[in-house]
Amino acid sequence: MTTGPASTEDQLREVLDKLANGVQPAPDAYRRVQGEWRRRERRRRLILVILVVLVLAITDIVGLWALNQYQDRPHVAPREPVPARSHVPPANDLPDLPVR
């Protein structure tokens, strides 16, 4: 299916080739893009460090707050002796074994 002397696909390819050949990159484009990429990477790392420090600080604050909620009264262990249970050996259900 052609639309005249050249197909639509050929015409489009020709126009895009002419357009691409007319593009001239800036001489410092690579350096500029690389600098921007490095800036973004530093920013990401800085944000990550700030978030980690914030999470650790909040965790510490919550832990200290929880420890401070503990009552200030001293806890005293009972000084009364606990009655000991008498140990009664279980009945010997095993048969007597000969001693050598």
Side-chain angles (χ1 to χ4, degrees):
M1 290 190 161
T2 59
T3 59
S7 70
T8 307
E9 183 179 323
D10 291 335
Q11 289 175 353
L12 184 59
R13 182 177 293 118
E14 184 180 326
V15 169
L16 289 175
D17 282 341
K18 285 181 184 178
L19 183 63
N21 288 333
V23 173
Q24 295 298 322
D28 65 336
Y30 179 75
R31 246 183 272 127
R32 204 168 13 119
V33 170
Q34 187 180 27
E36 183 179 335
W37 177 80
R38 286 181 179 170
R39 252 192 323 277
R40 286 182 182 177
E41 185 67 24
R42 280 191 302 258
R43 187 179 305 140
R44 282 188 202 115
R45 288 181 183 185
L46 180 64
I47 289 172
L48 179 65
V49 166
I50 290 172
L51 285 175
V52 167
V53 167
L54 258 167
V55 167
L56 287 174
I58 290 172
T59 305
D60 285 343
I61 290 170
V62 168
L64 290 173
W65 175 81
L67 286 173
N68 283 333
Q69 296 302 313
Y70 192 70
Q71 296 178 359
D72 289 335
R73 295 183 288 152
H75 295 280
V76 179
R79 294 180 186 225
E80 303 161 358
V82 178
R85 294 184 180 179
S86 61
H87 180 68
V88 178
N92 192 356
D93 293 338
L94 298 175
D96 291 336
L97 297 175
V99 178
R100 292 185 184 183

